Amino acid sequence: MLVDLNRILTKFPTKHLVYCFAYGSGVFQQAGRSDRAMVDLIFVVNNTHNFHRDNLTINPDHYSSIRYLGPSVLSSVQTSFGANVYFNTHITVGNLMFKYGIIDLKDFRQDLQSWYTLYIAGRLHKPVLMLRDEGLSDLVMHNLRSAVHAALLQLPEKFSEVDLYTTIAGLSYRGDFRMIIGEDKNKVANIVQPQIDKFKTLYTPVFKSMSDRLSITSFVEQDKSLENKLYHLQRLPQNLKNILFRSYKNKFNNDRILEELAKQDDVSKIVRNGICRIVFYSSLMQSIKGIPTAGLLKSVVYSYSKLNKMVKSMLF
């Protein structure tokens, strides 16, 4: 798989790539999936316009008819709404079918640092296959730490390691309207179940950095004191904190909102609702964007495959 994907990268204007990863059931086996899934790729580029300009020359057939409007329009569509990602889908090279999303470096940074949309950040909460990294590993680790802070606020004092990974993997699915109309309801569990060791490898450095607040043996135990809850709230990504501030500014003193939230018995629900608000809008707008960017036929085919998976999961 790695050899095939690296070979695919040579067919793109790679001089613009600063980060690239593959993810999803086409890369890592998910429970309940026996069919051959499409591989998902994300290209982080240093200049969106220049990438589209060069890619239109190399791979014009990857784009829908919107390509005739030129790279400036493609760049504008990519960055104007949704999750700031432009997807080309149902691309075939050899015997491998894949889709790839393009995101500008500044938007990538913003999402991983602040959870502006949680679209790409959420994908990097789970194990991925790294294909290129031009010095962004610290940013990726920051995103993993944020995921653990958010998950621990939603978990009790004692829980299993599987519960922790399931909560983390589910962060970016909370509020995603596709989970209502098209995705397998067991999707998160199916992601985690066969990849426990990969999750453990991914998050062990974060756990070590929180060893004074987190104990992992045959189960996980955390300190649920007021001080510890405040510690996690203070370290949530800025966009999520901004949502909490706006939601509770009329109820609590602005300077003490996080301190007051830490005292609430339903702080886990408060954090969960804040995450839902981020995910719902970005996932909805990104899906709407997919109609002109993928083209009507590909959008229908993709939507049909999602609905077909949902029906199968309900029947079997």
Side-chain angles (χ1 to χ4, degrees):
M1 173 66 73
L2 181 59
V3 173
D4 290 339
L5 292 176
N6 279 320
R7 187 179 298 122
I8 283 175
L9 288 188
T10 65
K11 301 183 181 300
F12 290 92
T14 54
K15 65 181 180 181
H16 301 299
L17 288 183
V18 293
Y19 197 82
C20 178
F21 64 92
Y23 67 97
S25 57
V27 179
F28 301 118
Q29 181 61 45
Q30 293 182 10
R33 289 296 301 271
S34 58
D35 57 318
R36 182 178 175 79
M38 183 163 51
V39 171
D40 299 293
L41 293 166
I42 294 294
F43 295 164
V44 183
V45 301
N46 53 23
N47 187 294
T48 294
H49 176 277
N50 291 348
F51 177 88
H52 285 300
R53 179 197 64 201
D54 294 348
N55 200 39
L56 280 168
T57 300
I58 301 169
N59 301 302
D61 56 319
H62 289 187
Y63 293 84
S64 68
S65 57
I66 197 174
R67 68 181 181 271
Y68 296 114
L69 299 177
S72 295
V73 171
L74 294 176
S75 299
S76 180
V77 169
Q78 176 182 318
T79 58
S80 294
F81 66 100
N84 300 321
V85 185
Y86 189 106
F87 274 102
N88 285 324
T89 187
H90 287 85
I91 311 301
T92 302
V93 174
N95 63 348
L96 190 65
M97 179 178 286
F98 63 98
K99 73 173 187 282
Y100 61 96
I102 304 112
I103 183 169
D104 194 88
L105 177 58
K106 65 178 178 57
D107 294 322
F108 179 76
R109 287 187 180 278
Q110 184 180 43
D111 200 35
L112 268 63
Q113 287 174 341
S114 73
W115 287 8
Y116 182 69
T117 70
L118 243 179
Y119 196 88
I120 299 300
R123 279 148 181 77
L124 285 167
H125 289 163
K126 299 171 276 290
V128 301
L129 181 60
M130 194 63 57
L131 301 174
R132 176 165 297 195
D133 179 6
E134 302 292 338
L136 296 177
S137 56
D138 287 346
L139 181 63
V140 173
M141 183 57 64
H142 173 83
N143 181 47
L144 296 178
R145 285 195 294 269
S146 296
V148 173
H149 290 305
L152 291 176
L153 282 164
Q154 298 177 60
L155 288 163
E157 193 169 10
K158 291 184 179 181
F159 48 92
S160 71
E161 202 167 349
V162 173
D163 290 335
L164 176 57
Y165 298 141
T166 302
T167 303
I168 290 171
L171 292 173
S172 60
Y173 289 112
R174 292 195 176 280
D176 190 334
F177 84 102
R178 294 172 302 173
M179 295 298 290
I180 302 172
I181 65 171
E183 289 285 5
D184 180 357
K185 300 302 182 292
N186 298 315
K187 185 177 181 68
V188 176
N190 291 342
I191 290 172
V192 174
Q193 182 183 331
Q195 298 188 71
I196 295 296
D197 290 341
K198 289 185 175 65
F199 272 95
K200 189 188 295 286
T201 299
L202 185 62
Y203 282 96
T204 291
V206 181
F207 298 154
K208 287 181 178 178
S209 71
M210 297 183 187
S211 58
D212 58 330
R213 300 174 185 273
L214 200 63
S215 172
I216 301 179
T217 53
S218 57
F219 55 87
V220 185
E221 188 171 3
Q222 67 166 325
D223 175 8
K224 292 289 285 185
S225 66
L226 178 63
E227 176 190 2
N228 215 43
K229 286 188 286 186
L230 179 58
Y231 172 84
H232 294 305
L233 283 167
Q234 290 171 333
R235 286 158 180 79
L236 291 176
Q238 191 59 50
N239 188 40
L240 178 53
K241 285 195 290 188
N242 289 345
I243 287 173
L244 299 182
F245 292 152
R246 290 195 297 270
S247 299
Y248 291 90
K249 66 180 180 180
N250 295 327
K251 186 174 182 180
F252 303 126
N253 185 298
N254 281 349
D255 296 330
R256 297 189 55 83
I257 286 178
L258 294 183
E259 288 89 339
E260 293 298 329
L261 291 181
K263 298 175 184 177
Q264 305 304 307
D265 293 336
D266 62 345
V267 65
S268 62
K269 182 179 178 181
I270 290 170
V271 171
R272 189 160 54 246
N273 288 343
I275 292 172
C276 286
R277 290 179 61 179
I278 296 173
V279 174
F280 177 79
Y281 179 77
S282 65
S283 65
L284 175 61
M285 297 308 292
Q286 185 65 37
S287 294
I288 292 172
K289 183 195 293 186
I291 297 173
T293 58
L296 182 59
L297 178 59
K298 286 185 178 180
S299 295
V300 170
V301 170
Y302 185 71
S303 298
Y304 173 79
S305 67
K306 288 288 185 182
L307 289 170
N308 193 42
K309 276 198 303 181
M310 180 185 70
V311 171
K312 286 183 178 179
S313 70
M314 294 170 63
L315 293 177
F316 301 101

